[in-house]
Amino acid sequence: DYIADLGFDAIWLTPVHPSSTYHKYDVDDYFAIDPSFGTMEDYEALLKECHDKGIRVYMDLVLNHTSEDHAWFRAASDYLHELPSGWEPDTSYCKYYDYYNFSRQPADGCVQLEGTEWFYEAGFWSEMPDLNLNSEAVRSEIRDIMAFWLEKGVDGFRLDAVTSYYEGDTWANTEFLRYLKETAVSIDPDCYLVGEAWTDSDNIAALYTSGIDSLFEFPFAGEDGMIAAALDGRCRASDYVD
């Protein structure tokens, strides 16, 4: 009632999935609600109450990485621990090996899987292994996740860390956002997507060619942003318009 009285017609919830951290951006299970927030029934009741008051609900969707406690990563980790040294992994034995970016070669942003000769990509934190977003199996899982929540009545998703899907590759990030948008509207034509894009205005403009509905415009925000700079004369109004 309070939010409706303020005049807002949408809310964005930061991650509500099970996770051991305070921020919940390392998801253990994409199909569940963290007990600290309540139950699935509570979430369904929230959706109904919001919709009855004309308020849309946007869910945080974290796709760059999972928790190291996610069942996919645990299965892949167990498989690599059992794999004899020098043997090549076989996805017919463990499909989850292909869900992440494993290699025997160390590289920037990679962490060694303890007790093995393997490394995995984890650009944010060792306990948040990055997903292999090129994997058709992972993309199928993503579609199932979106469908699960959209069918419950979620109105859209706030996409976390869209510039980190493919670090430093605006073209690849744009193509993946296009896939997400096309997938979302194939399930619900009214699904709204907004992406968190920590980058400059030129890259944000490029990401918009994906067809995504909206992106966070961080270069415009804050006392050092473009809006404030135009207002106090640190940049020209024409730069702001451009």
Side-chain angles (χ1 to χ4, degrees), residues 6-199:
L6 288 171
F8 292 104
D9 60 9
I11 59 174
W12 152 41
L13 299 176
T14 54
V16 295
H17 302 301
S19 165
S20 61
T21 61
Y22 74 92
H23 52 75
K24 309 298 180 192
Y25 280 96
D26 49 344
V27 175
D28 292 347
D29 182 352
Y30 286 102
F31 298 97
I33 300 294
D34 192 287
S36 62
F37 297 136
T39 65
M40 186 66 76
E41 290 73 23
D42 293 327
Y43 189 78
E44 292 165 350
L46 173 69
L47 287 172
K48 182 180 185 304
E49 289 291 323
C50 286
H51 291 159
D52 287 347
K53 294 174 173 59
I55 298 173
R56 292 162 291 169
V57 178
Y58 301 136
M59 192 173 205
D60 214 307
L61 189 57
V62 185
L63 300 176
N64 182 68
H65 47 260
T66 69
S67 161
E68 66 171 358
D69 293 323
H70 195 288
W72 301 341
F73 190 75
R74 290 203 309 270
S77 175
D78 290 346
Y79 173 67
L80 291 177
H81 274 93
E82 295 168 0
L83 191 71
S85 179
W87 284 33
E88 291 302 315
D90 186 342
T91 53
S92 65
Y93 286 96
C94 180
K95 68 177 183 179
Y96 299 111
Y97 162 78
D98 192 46
Y99 277 38
Y100 297 88
N101 298 306
F102 289 103
S103 172
R104 286 191 173 94
Q105 302 301 318
D108 289 344
C110 289
V111 177
Q112 187 162 17
L113 184 63
E114 188 175 353
T116 76
E117 60 189 356
W118 292 92
F119 296 82
Y120 61 91
E121 185 180 351
F124 281 89
W125 180 36
S126 61
E127 296 180 23
M128 296 198 303
D130 290 353
L131 285 166
N132 174 15
L133 299 176
N134 289 328
S135 164
E136 289 302 319
V138 169
R139 293 194 177 203
S140 179
E141 298 276 12
I142 290 170
R143 189 191 190 285
D144 291 345
I145 293 164
M146 294 175 110
F148 179 84
W149 294 104
L150 289 170
E151 288 164 8
K152 282 192 176 293
V154 168
D155 298 285
F157 301 99
R158 179 267 192 187
L159 302 173
D160 180 58
V162 302
T163 55
S164 295
Y165 293 148
Y166 298 88
E167 197 67 53
D169 191 335
T170 300
W171 182 88
N173 288 325
T174 302
E175 288 304 297
F176 188 66
L177 285 176
R178 180 174 290 113
Y179 156 77
L180 292 176
K181 177 62 178 175
E182 291 173 352
T183 300
V185 298
S186 74
I187 302 165
D188 177 359
D190 296 323
C191 178
Y192 182 87
L193 297 182
V194 54
E196 178 204 24
W198 284 103
T199 186

